Structures are given as structure tokens and as C-alpha cells.
């Protein structure tokens, strides 16, 4: 049996996209980060979408990848039970 999960993309203005290099890696890193911290797959997909969107705004594979503190501040409820 297969299950389908859907998660809307993090909104980003097309004019802000500079480089797509590393966006897929950034997405999966966000998903894995949330799952390792025992968050739901839904939370992981939301975090992954946010991380990939932020990465798109800078040139290169690593530039633009947000710090965890940025994600906590910008992704509502994602790490609600954590202090940092």
C-alpha cells in the first residue's frame, strides 16, 4: 500500500530566484533534519520546502541555506516545543 503526502511549496517570488544548484539537496536536508528531531513527515516537508526556497535566492550550492534559528523564526509552529 502506498501513501501520498502533499506539501505546498514555500512561496518565493520568481524574480528572487538566482540559482537552483543544491535546491533538491537543501530540501532533503530539511526533511531529514526534522525527522531526526522526531518531527512529523509533514513538518519535515515544510522545513525542506523553506530551506530549498531560501537556497534559491543565492548563487552556489551552499549559499542561502538558512541557519536553524532562521527556520525557527520563519516557519510557524515547526519547532514549537523547542527553546532554541
Amino acid at each position: 500500500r502506498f501513501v501520498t503526502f502533499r506539501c505546498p511549496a514555500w512561496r518565493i517570488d520568481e524574480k528572487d530566484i538566482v540559482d537552483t544548484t543544491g535546491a533538491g539537496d537543501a530540501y532533503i536536508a530539511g526533511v531529514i533534519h526534522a525527522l531526526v528531531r522526531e518531527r512529523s513527515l509533514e513538518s519535515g516537508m515544510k522545513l525542506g520546502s523553506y530551506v530549498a526556497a531560501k537556497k534559491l535566492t543565492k548563487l552556489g550550492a551552499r549559499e542561502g541555506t538558512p541557519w536553524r534559528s532562521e527556520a525557527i523564526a520563519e516557519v510557524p509552529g515547526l519547532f514549537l516545543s523547542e527553546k532554541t
Side-chain angles (χ1 to χ4, degrees):
R1 180 177 147 207
F2 293 95
V3 178
T4 301
F5 293 92
R6 296 180 194 277
C7 177
W10 194 266
R11 292 203 182 271
I12 181 172
D13 194 316
E14 190 174 323
K15 68 176 178 52
D16 294 331
I17 297 173
V18 174
D19 185 9
T20 61
T21 305
D25 294 328
Y27 174 82
I28 200 64
V31 172
I32 291 170
H33 179 83
L35 294 177
V36 165
R37 292 186 167 273
E38 299 182 354
R39 298 301 188 250
S40 67
L41 181 56
E42 180 183 28
S43 291
M45 292 168 66
K46 189 181 214 182
L47 178 60
S49 180
Y50 167 77
V51 173
K54 296 300 269 188
K55 199 290 99 300
L56 291 171
T57 65
K58 303 289 182 188
L59 187 62
R62 292 179 51 194
E63 292 299 317
T65 304
W67 291 97
R68 186 169 177 272
S69 58
E70 291 176 70
I72 290 170
E74 292 190 44
V75 183
L78 188 62
F79 295 103
L80 194 56
S81 64
E82 297 184 39
K83 292 182 174 63
T84 57

